[in-house]
Amino acid sequence: MESLLVGVVVGRFGLRGEVKVQPETEFPERFERGAAFTWKRGAATRAVKVQAARAHKRQVVLKLEGVDTPDAADELRGGELHVPWSERRPLPAGSFYHGEIQGLAVFTEDGTFLGQVVDIWQPGGADVYVVGQPGERRWMIPAVSRFVHRIDVPAGRMIVTVEDGLRE
């Protein structure tokens, strides 16, 4: 992993060039004054630095250096804010970053290979791991202990229980 997604610019806010950001992190202090991010949208990237920040509902309003008009803020809409992967914060035991989960090989308890984690959905409540192999139907595995028994990131594997209702 090169970088870690921490927020998505969802729109402009007000008339001073501020942007609304949907946090994608459990660490809201990442958005404090002076914080630096790489803004990415498609192939476009740019360095941005927080001049001021405040909470607004379930989002964060940021004033970024050099973004001083509503039009300039609009240009950032839809972009993602990233930090280097090396700046990830420690998580509690048993918690993982999505970048650590994606790509893991997934096996049942009896050793049957189901595929790799190709996507992670966040429908609310528990995440859902989308597991598959090219050309085959995928499994939708809720990230709860009933179905996910072991995640071994260093070994690159996950052990799960599946039921017929979890098939795409």
Side-chain angles (χ1 to χ4, degrees), residues 83-143:
V83 296
W85 182 252
S86 61
E87 290 182 17
R88 68 191 182 283
R89 308 268 170 93
L91 295 175
S95 296
F96 303 92
Y97 285 103
H98 286 180
E100 295 175 304
I101 298 292
Q102 288 184 328
L104 290 181
V106 181
F107 298 87
T108 62
E109 292 177 293
D110 68 4
T112 302
F113 177 67
L114 299 177
Q116 292 183 297
V117 178
V118 295
D119 199 3
I120 300 174
W121 295 347
Q122 296 178 286
D127 288 351
V128 175
Y129 301 142
V130 180
V131 176
Q133 298 181 55
E136 294 191 15
R137 290 181 3 182
R138 298 183 294 179
W139 292 92
M140 309 303 167
I141 311 221

Side-chain angles (χ1 to χ4, degrees), residues 23 25-32 53 60 89:
T25 178
E26 297 294 320
F27 305 100
E29 62 274 10
R30 284 197 178 275
F31 299 104
E32 293 177 343
V60 179
R89 308 268 170 93

Side-chain angles (χ1 to χ4, degrees), residues 3 7-8 17-18 28-29 37 39-40 43 59 66 71 79 83 90 93 95 104 113 115 127 135 138-139 142 154 161:
S3 66
V8 177
E18 295 174 308
E29 62 274 10
F37 303 104
W39 173 89
K40 298 180 180 184
Q59 297 175 333
D71 289 341
V83 296
S95 296
L104 290 181
F113 177 67
D127 288 351
R138 298 183 294 179
W139 292 92
T161 296

